[in-house]
Amino acid sequence: MTDDEVRRQMEFILNQQAQTAVNVQTLSESQTQVEQRVSRMEGAFVGLVNIIGDTQKVTQAKLAELAEAQKRTDAALADTNERLNSFINFVERYLSKRQNGQTQD
């Protein structure tokens, strides 16, 4: 190999090393950006999981409140039905007695 060929080969190798160094630097910068994005996405994901957990707790609490309110409504309705049935029975007895001539006005 001549000196010129050796010099050209050395230049080629140096250029390849320089290009490799640039590529490694570019990849390193890209990796840093990706790590930052992944970190932000992790934070967002954790926040989302926390929001879902909080929403679930609130939903469970509201469902429990709704169930209790429904129990109170059912109890009040049962009481109202009982009282209404008593009133209907009273009116029916009154009307029945009146039709039979037992009640004087």
Side-chain angles (χ1 to χ4, degrees):
M1 228 186 240
T2 66
D3 286 341
D4 193 41
E5 289 174 337
V6 170
R7 184 181 50 76
R8 277 188 291 190
Q9 202 167 25
M10 286 174 54
E11 283 178 14
F12 175 78
I13 291 170
L14 288 174
N15 285 337
Q16 289 297 330
Q17 284 180 330
Q19 185 61 44
T20 300
V22 168
N23 289 344
V24 167
Q25 180 63 32
T26 302
L27 287 173
S28 178
E29 290 169 0
S30 293
Q31 181 180 0
T32 299
Q33 292 173 352
V34 167
E35 287 173 352
Q36 290 171 347
R37 290 178 71 192
V38 167
S39 179
R40 286 192 306 267
M41 287 179 12
E42 283 176 331
F45 184 74
V46 167
L48 186 58
V49 167
N50 289 338
I51 288 170
I52 290 170
D54 292 345
T55 301
Q56 216 172 14
K57 290 175 189 174
V58 169
T59 300
Q60 291 297 326
K62 292 297 180 185
L63 284 174
E65 288 176 20
L66 184 60
E68 286 301 316
Q70 184 64 46
K71 286 178 186 177
R72 289 190 304 273
T73 300
D74 289 346
L77 185 58
D79 183 54
T80 301
N81 283 340
E82 184 179 319
R83 295 179 72 192
L84 183 57
N85 285 336
S86 294
F87 180 70
I88 290 170
N89 288 335
F90 171 78
V91 170
E92 285 176 346
R93 281 193 309 266
Y94 176 79
L95 292 176
S96 175
K97 287 179 183 179
R98 188 172 177 144
Q99 287 176 353
N100 293 333
Q102 295 178 356
T103 304
Q104 299 287 339
D105 281 340

